[in-house]
């Protein structure tokens, strides 16, 4: 029983990181319809920048900020100068998979070439542990959950209550019609990538805050649970992604406690495959995504 | 030719044969049938594993230092054929689940995930495939029978590889130029038409998928019997991507393009550069190689999206070029 | 151009299309077309399939290439302007398909229609538009994808009304609607809109219904205006009745038919 409660605690932390990451991922997909398979590697890039900041004596907050900026700019540049030109050039779904995977390969191995094939850890102060209803969290883990809650609240208010958020949802639903309403869709797409990139960067930093060490492949291997959470919630639906993250996070950590921990990703993978096959539009989405990529 | 040089050349030729076969198999799946099989390498690995255990003898032999299932000591060419059968059966299993009506990129995701699951399971389930250590001391076919010098045997193996490669070429060519091949291309180019044709389409794609999987298994068997070792770590997802890159560079949908792609990307690019002097820290050259493969793919995708040898337009109307 | 004998005086011109040619790179689909919409008029454009009706609309809204000719809206040249510019100038376009944002609520759809309005005005304008379509008022928070066909079309028109357009361009608004709903839309809603000071250019398959509610009609054949005249006169012409009463097997309107 205590093992179960303990694993729920781990699950909540994983779910927090997953939620930040998959909401960012799903926003990119929602607005541009591109499954950005290089997302995990942008996370790794942000983690490395955060690592450099902490090694230079920067605080954790500085590291998070630097990670967010890195993710934001990198995602914006990727979309603006690579993905969008490819889409305008006539590359479709099929080809865009190859394009984003190529980018993933270049980023991951580029990072490895720069930093080396070894393991790194953020230089963080040791914090006390807090017990809560049978679960144990370090101060940093509590911080991760706090960041996730704040990030979700910000995304929610922005999408629901602001003009920009409405324009973003409208662009995701029908870019041509949105243009007809006077929305500068290029600019909205740009802002969406900046925003989702910031989430991506924060997710990268929180991911490596929660592990003892990371390498150039850390973000890439985290991509599958991220995609699983996003798909579970219906790709393009931020609220679905939040719930998907909770489900995947809890399922993988609880199963890790009782089965071989090496298989905890298999659980996430399994959920993803089953959802894709049974209900490809995701559990929480009202309409199936049959759209093409948009420029 | 010096002996060292002979080893070098014969090695490259065997790799070339294996990669050409693999590219032809993937071309059938991806180029012709439009299935983004990011798990391709898994079917090759399964074939390789099959051939390995069918030549290693029972698991307890050799002091039982490696555990695996289904050990036997079968004569050439039975393990090769068994590898093809296993590759095909595994494809049938995966295909039945994954080839349903799914958006292309979702299907690709399923395949990618299957690849990662397979690697995780193979690495952790020690009893199944001896875990991450994999298998070693896999005997080479006919080596003891022929009694040749090492380098002489190398050339025999080149001949065996090329013979299988030729068989695969003829088989694939017959399929791609048959009515089945034309239907598959039509389906690939117009998924709406695919829906109109009905259920039949899934069966046709399954045929292409299973045939491609059998070829993958065969190519894996030929490779593993040559290098005598097998481990989960050498059959990772990026290796699938190399074959995709090869098809994209060579020209997917076209068998000549697939073969040229195999020559250019896996062989000229990755195998031959394995012999260039390493510089920097260990692993730097490998990382840079992957960076270049990625950049090369992006460049070709931009400038020659149909590859060096584009697919020839068929007798049927091609995809309309109007956006 | 042969028109009906009695050409009544039309109101002051709002939209004037002159020598219009539209195409997709090849030979123009719509060629040398003249058309006007007067203030407060409902003008119907009818014609068989492939006559260039939708190409004409695409040309007017900047979705297809204008080869020659000009479009004047209240005297201002708006040739080849894109939709976002047109809606600022008072021309609202309701496409046939993809006319609402399916994942957004009714209220958010209307707010998107008023995207260019000042923030302070949007709320009030949403209420005003919902007064035009009271059926939508209780569904403010409903997602558009869950509306019926008729509700959806009202929402699409309401979205465009947000910017108080002078001219509405409706592309086959009754397509996919039940006969009763279609009649309700054409016979009740459109005149109600006109009474609020909107002029309407209506492109319709249901030619007779469209002509019945219209002031003026244009019959398009082969990318050009074949016949034009007061809608009432067109309705009385036997050749038009015959063509549009569904004798599909016959060829299109006989060339330059004389009554």
């Amino acid at each position: 029983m205590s093992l179960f409660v303990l694993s729920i605690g781990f699950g909540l932390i994983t779910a927090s990181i997953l939620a930040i990451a998959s909401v960012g991922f799903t926003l990119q997909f929602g607005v541009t319809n591109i499954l950005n398979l290089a997302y995990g590697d942008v996370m790794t890039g942000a983690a490395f920048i955060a690592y450099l900041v902490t090694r230079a004596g920067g605080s954790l907050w500085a590291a998070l900020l630097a990670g967010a900026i890195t993710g934001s700019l990198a995602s914006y540049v990727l979309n603006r100068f690579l993905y969008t030109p490819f889409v305008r050039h006539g590359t479709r779904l099929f080809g865009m998979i190859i394009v984003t995977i190529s980018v993933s390969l270049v980023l991951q191995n580029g990072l490895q070439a720069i930093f080396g094939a070894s393991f790194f850890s953020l230089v963080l102060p040791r914090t006390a542990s807090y017990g809560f209803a049978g679960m144990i969290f370090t101060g940093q883990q509590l911080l991760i959950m706090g960041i996730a809650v704040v990030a979700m609240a910000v995304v929610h208010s922005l999408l629901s209550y602001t003009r920009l958020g409405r324009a973003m949802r409208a662009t995701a639903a029908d870019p041509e019609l949105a243009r007809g309403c006077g929305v500068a869709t290029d600019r909205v797409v740009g802002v969406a990538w900046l925003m989702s990139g910031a989430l991506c960067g924060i997710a990268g930093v929180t991911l490596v805050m929660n592990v003892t060490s990371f390498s150039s492949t850390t973000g890439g291997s985290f991509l599958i649970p991220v995609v699983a959470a996003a798909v579970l919630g219906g790709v393009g639906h931020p609220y679905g992604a939040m719930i998907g993250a909770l489900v995947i996070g809890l399922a993988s950590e609880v199963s890790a406690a009782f089965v071989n921990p090496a298989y905890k990703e298999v659980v996430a993978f399994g959920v993803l495959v089953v959802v894709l096959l049974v209900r490809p539009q995701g559990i929480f989405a009202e309409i199936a995504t049959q759209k093409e990529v948009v420029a | 030719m010096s002996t060292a040089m002979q080893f070098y050349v014969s090695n490259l030729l065997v790799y070339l044969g294996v990669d050409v076969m693999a590219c032809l198999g993937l071309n059938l799946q991806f180029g012709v049938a439009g299935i983004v099989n990011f798990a391709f390498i898994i079917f090759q690995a399964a074939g390789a594993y099959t051939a390995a255990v069918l030549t290693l003898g029972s698991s307890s032999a050799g002091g039982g230092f490696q555990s695996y299932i289904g050990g036997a000591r079968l004569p050439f060419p039975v393990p090769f054929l068994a590898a093809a059968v296993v590759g095909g059966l595994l494809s049938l299993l995966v295909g039945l689940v994954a080839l349903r009506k799914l958006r292309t990129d979702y299907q690709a995701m399923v395949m990618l995930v299957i690849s990662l699951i397979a690697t995780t399971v193979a690495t952790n389930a020690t009893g199944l495939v001896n875990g991450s250590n994999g298998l070693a001391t896999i005997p080479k076919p006919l080596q003891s029978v022929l009694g040749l010098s090492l380098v002489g045997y190398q050339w025999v193996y080149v001949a065996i590889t090329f013979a299988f490669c030729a068989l695969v070429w003829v088989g694939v060519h017959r399929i791609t130029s048959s009515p089945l091949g034309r239907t598959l291309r039509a389906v690939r180019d117009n998924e709406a038409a695919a829906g109109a044709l009905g259920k039949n389409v899934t069966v046709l794609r399954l045929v292409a998928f299973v045939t491609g999987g059998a070829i993958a298994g065969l190519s894996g068997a030929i490779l593993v019997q040559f290098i005598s070792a097998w481990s989960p770590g050498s059959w990772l997802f990026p290796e699938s991507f190399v074959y995709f890159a090869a098809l994209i560079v060579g020209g997917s949908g076209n068998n000549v393009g697939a073969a040229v792609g195999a020559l250019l990307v896996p062989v000229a690019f990755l195998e031959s550069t394995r012999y260039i002097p390493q510089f920097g820290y260990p692993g730097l050259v490998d990382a840079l190689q992957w960076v270049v493969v990625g950049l090369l793919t992006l460049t070709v995708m931009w400038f020659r999206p149909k590859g060096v040898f584009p697919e020839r337009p068929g007798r049927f109307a091609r995809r309309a070029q109007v956006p | 151009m042969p028109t009906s004998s009695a050409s009544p005086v039309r109101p002051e011109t709002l939209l004037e299309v002159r020598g219009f040619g539209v195409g997709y790179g090849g030979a123009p689909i719509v060629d040398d077309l003249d058309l006007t919409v007067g203030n407060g008029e409902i003008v119907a454009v009818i014609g068989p399939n492939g006559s260039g009706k939708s190409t004409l609309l695409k040309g007017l809204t900047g979705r297809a290439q204008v080869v020659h000719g000009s479009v004047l809206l209240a005297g201002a040249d708006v040739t080849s302007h894109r939709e976002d510019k047109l809606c600022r100038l008072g021309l609202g376009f309701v496409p046939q398909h993809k006319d609402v944002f399916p994942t957004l609520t009714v209220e958010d759809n209307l707010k998107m229609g008023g995207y260019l309005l000042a923030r302070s005005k949007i709320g009030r304008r949403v209420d005003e538009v919902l007064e035009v379509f009271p059926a939508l008022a209780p569904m403010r928070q409903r997602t558009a994808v869950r509306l019926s066909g008729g509700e959806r079309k009202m929402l699409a028109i309401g979205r465009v009304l947000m910017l108080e357009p002078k001219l509405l361009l409706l592309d086959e608004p009754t397509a996919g609607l039940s006969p009763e709903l279609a009649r309700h839309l054409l016979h009740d809603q459109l005149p109600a809109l006109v009474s609020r000071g909107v002029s309407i250019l209506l492109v319709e398959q249901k030619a007779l219904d469209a002509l019945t509610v219209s002031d003026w009609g244009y019959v398009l054949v082969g990318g050009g205006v074949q016949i034009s005249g007061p809608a009432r006169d067109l309705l009385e012409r036997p050749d038009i009745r015959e063509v549009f009463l569904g004798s599909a097997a016959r060829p299109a309107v006989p060339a330059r038919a004389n009554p």
Side-chain angles (χ1 to χ4, degrees):
Chain A
M1 187 58 202
S2 63
L3 183 62
F4 180 70
V5 175
L6 205 60
S7 66
I8 285 194
F10 293 137
L12 289 176
I13 303 159
T14 307
S16 302
I17 302 166
L18 263 180
I20 305 171
S22 51
V23 167
F25 181 82
T26 225
L27 273 178
Q28 290 183 352
F29 182 87
V31 181
T32 19
N33 232 330
I34 294 170
L35 270 186
N36 178 18
L37 299 181
Y39 190 84
D41 305 297
V42 176
M43 280 174 64
T44 317
F48 270 110
I49 299 296
Y51 161 76
L52 292 181
V53 169
T54 60
R55 207 183 55 174
S59 72
L60 182 54
W61 294 107
L64 277 164
L65 184 68
I69 293 173
T70 309
S72 200
L73 291 181
S75 301
Y76 179 82
V77 166
L78 267 185
N79 180 59
R80 177 77 179 70
F81 297 105
L82 203 72
Y83 296 161
T84 304
F86 262 107
V87 172
R88 297 219 166 123
H89 201 63
T91 313
R92 287 293 165 257
L93 284 180
F94 196 53
M96 285 314 290
I97 309 164
I98 304 287
V99 169
T100 62
I101 286 238
S102 302
V103 170
S104 158
L105 213 58
V106 172
L107 285 180
Q108 189 172 115
N109 289 285
L111 286 170
Q112 190 189 318
I114 296 168
F115 290 94
S118 39
F119 287 89
F120 305 85
S121 333
L122 295 186
V123 186
L124 297 175
R126 284 185 58 89
T127 52
S129 291
Y130 306 89
F132 176 75
M135 299 177 267
I136 301 166
F137 301 110
T138 66
Q140 271 141 22
Q141 288 172 330
L142 288 175
L143 180 63
I144 290 174
M145 287 191 272
I147 292 170
V149 170
V150 171
M152 295 306 103
V154 168
V155 169
H156 168 72
S157 343
L158 190 124
L159 286 180
S160 305
Y161 305 122
T162 68
R163 195 173 112 102
L164 174 67
R166 203 178 305 120
M168 233 175 241
R169 286 184 290 136
T171 305
D174 189 336
E176 197 177 24
L177 195 59
R179 265 193 292 275
C181 291
V183 177
T185 48
D186 279 0
R187 217 173 303 158
V188 169
V189 166
V191 174
W193 277 75
L194 280 174
M195 211 175 92
S196 60
L199 289 170
C200 173
I202 294 170
V205 181
T206 52
L207 177 66
V208 300
M209 273 166 71
N210 194 40
V211 293
T212 41
S213 64
F214 70 97
S215 73
S216 55
T217 60
T218 301
S221 36
F222 195 64
L223 179 69
I224 296 300
V226 170
V227 175
V231 168
L232 187 63
V235 203
H237 298 260
Y239 305 114
M242 294 177 198
I243 299 168
L246 202 59
V247 174
I248 300 281
L250 287 175
S252 55
E253 292 302 336
V254 171
S255 64
F258 294 97
V259 198
N260 182 348
Y263 291 137
K264 75 177 179 189
E265 276 164 345
V266 173
V267 173
F269 301 170
V271 173
L272 173 60
V273 170
V274 170
V275 170
L276 274 177
L277 294 175
V278 177
R279 204 176 144 80
Q281 72 269 42
I283 289 177
F284 305 102
E286 282 194 52
I287 29 178
T289 312
Q290 292 291 351
K291 295 185 296 178
E292 258 291 352
V293 282
V294 299
Chain B
M1 230 192 298
S2 71
T3 313
M5 194 64 188
Q6 287 200 40
F7 265 106
Y8 177 69
V9 172
S10 53
N11 271 345
L12 276 191
L13 287 176
V14 170
Y15 288 146
L16 175 64
V18 168
D19 290 333
V20 167
M21 257 183 271
C23 281
L24 287 171
L26 183 61
N27 189 36
L28 198 56
Q29 298 180 336
F30 170 78
V32 177
I35 305 162
V36 190
N37 182 10
F38 276 154
F40 186 79
I41 204 73
I42 295 304
F43 303 98
Q44 204 181 27
Y49 178 76
T50 308
V53 296
L54 291 184
T55 47
L56 269 168
S58 78
S59 184
S60 51
F65 71 98
Q66 42 193 13
S67 59
Y68 46 87
I69 48 168
R73 209 183 287 275
L74 299 176
F76 171 84
V78 179
F80 285 1
L81 302 180
V85 170
V86 168
L89 283 179
L90 197 62
S91 301
L92 183 65
L93 206 69
V94 171
L96 281 175
V97 183
L99 287 189
R100 313 247 212 100
K101 209 174 179 315
L102 265 187
R103 230 177 81 150
T104 324
D105 46 359
Y106 280 22
Q107 201 164 53
M109 289 300 312
V110 171
M111 294 300 187
L112 172 56
V113 163
I114 286 173
S115 184
L116 297 173
I117 290 183
T119 305
T120 313
V121 172
T123 314
N124 292 291
T126 326
L128 200 60
V129 296
N130 204 34
S132 56
N133 292 330
L135 307 173
T137 65
I138 301 161
K140 298 189 173 197
L142 304 180
Q143 193 172 28
S144 48
V145 184
L146 291 171
L148 289 167
S149 68
L150 278 178
V151 73
Y153 181 79
Q154 288 273 112
W155 290 108
V156 170
Y157 207 93
V158 170
I160 294 174
T161 308
F162 275 52
F164 275 106
C165 194
L167 271 175
V168 166
W169 178 283
V170 172
V172 169
H173 180 75
R174 289 185 76 143
I175 294 178
T176 50
S177 53
S178 72
L180 170 66
R182 287 196 294 272
T183 313
L184 286 170
R185 283 167 215 261
V187 168
R188 174 200 63 191
D189 290 349
N190 188 344
E191 293 215 26
L197 284 168
K199 239 179 169 176
N200 214 359
V201 171
T202 313
V203 177
L204 296 182
R205 299 182 83 190
L206 201 55
V207 170
F209 191 66
V210 169
T211 314
I215 295 169
L218 175 65
S219 69
I222 294 175
L223 182 61
V224 83
Q225 302 263 275
F226 183 67
I227 56 181
S228 293
W230 185 97
S231 78
S234 16
W235 310 86
L236 298 179
F237 160 69
E239 305 284 341
S240 292
F241 185 78
V242 169
Y243 287 134
F244 274 92
L247 283 189
I248 286 158
V249 171
S252 89
N254 179 351
N255 290 329
V256 179
V260 172
L263 178 66
L264 290 177
V265 181
V267 177
F269 226 86
L270 292 173
E271 299 298 346
S272 57
T273 49
R274 273 185 196 160
Y275 301 89
I276 66 168
Q278 298 278 328
F279 56 90
Y281 56 83
L284 177 62
V285 172
D286 278 351
L288 290 177
Q289 259 182 9
W290 285 111
V291 170
V292 175
V293 169
L295 291 176
L296 176 73
T297 313
L298 286 174
T299 313
V300 174
M301 286 287 290
W302 183 265
F303 290 105
R304 281 198 80 105
K306 289 179 183 297
V308 181
F309 288 88
E311 184 178 9
R312 280 159 302 178
R315 283 188 286 134
F316 294 98
R318 299 274 100 203
R319 199 174 350 197
Q321 293 301 314
V322 187
Chain C
M1 173 167 301
T3 54
S4 294
S5 43
S7 284
V9 181
R10 296 186 66 182
E12 190 193 345
T13 301
L14 176 60
L15 179 78
E16 183 169 15
V17 181
R18 286 264 160 267
F20 208 40
V22 187
Y24 302 98
I29 312 286
V30 165
D31 210 2
D32 212 21
L33 178 143
D34 294 326
L35 179 150
T36 53
V37 179
N39 261 326
E41 273 188 324
I42 300 182
V43 171
V45 175
I46 58 176
N49 278 329
S51 58
K53 297 194 301 288
S54 52
T55 306
L56 165 66
L57 279 186
K58 283 184 183 161
L60 289 176
T61 54
R63 290 185 183 194
Q65 196 193 336
V66 176
V67 188
H68 48 74
S70 62
V71 183
L72 301 179
L73 181 68
D77 190 346
V78 296
T79 317
S80 296
H81 277 23
R82 282 181 18 174
E83 266 166 76
D84 48 330
K85 250 181 167 174
L86 290 172
C87 62
R88 277 172 235 250
L89 295 169
L91 189 150
F93 174 49
V94 182
Q96 182 186 347
H97 305 292
K98 303 179 90 177
D99 49 354
V100 297
F101 298 103
T103 50
L104 269 57
T105 61
V106 167
E107 184 173 326
D108 280 347
N109 262 287
L110 294 178
K111 284 184 175 169
M112 280 313 297
Y115 187 75
L116 294 169
L117 291 177
R119 230 162 272 235
S120 53
K121 283 190 191 156
I122 292 182
R124 185 156 34 94
R125 187 66 195 147
V126 168
D127 294 337
E128 285 168 11
V129 168
L130 287 176
E131 276 167 34
V132 180
F133 298 111
L136 291 176
M139 308 175 184
R140 272 178 175 246
Q141 296 309 321
R142 190 173 295 184
T143 318
V145 74
R146 293 168 62 197
L147 297 179
S148 72
E151 290 159 0
R152 183 187 166 113
K153 195 45 88 176
M154 282 191 255
L155 176 59
I157 297 175
R159 180 181 56 72
V160 171
L161 286 182
M162 284 294 291
L163 291 182
E164 303 184 55
K166 289 177 276 192
L167 177 67
L168 267 184
L169 240 58
L170 303 181
D171 188 3
E172 306 206 2
T174 65
L177 296 191
S178 71
E180 300 96 81
L181 276 175
R183 211 167 301 125
H184 173 63
L185 184 70
L186 291 180
H187 292 260
D188 304 334
Q189 305 281 13
L190 296 193
L193 288 173
V194 171
S195 69
R196 286 168 190 267
V198 184
S199 311
I200 294 171
L201 178 62
L202 172 68
V203 171
E204 256 300 339
Q205 285 277 0
K206 296 188 173 63
L208 298 179
D209 276 326
L211 286 176
T212 314
V213 298
S214 299
D215 301 292
W216 201 266
Y218 290 88
V219 180
L220 239 60
V221 175
V225 173
Q226 195 78 34
I227 311 161
S228 74
R232 209 178 317 111
D233 295 0
L234 295 184
L235 274 172
E236 281 163 13
R237 289 172 54 148
D239 52 340
I240 291 183
R241 287 199 80 93
E242 189 185 343
V243 166
F244 290 107
L245 268 174
S247 47
R250 286 170 172 270
V253 182
R256 303 278 161 182
N258 277 315

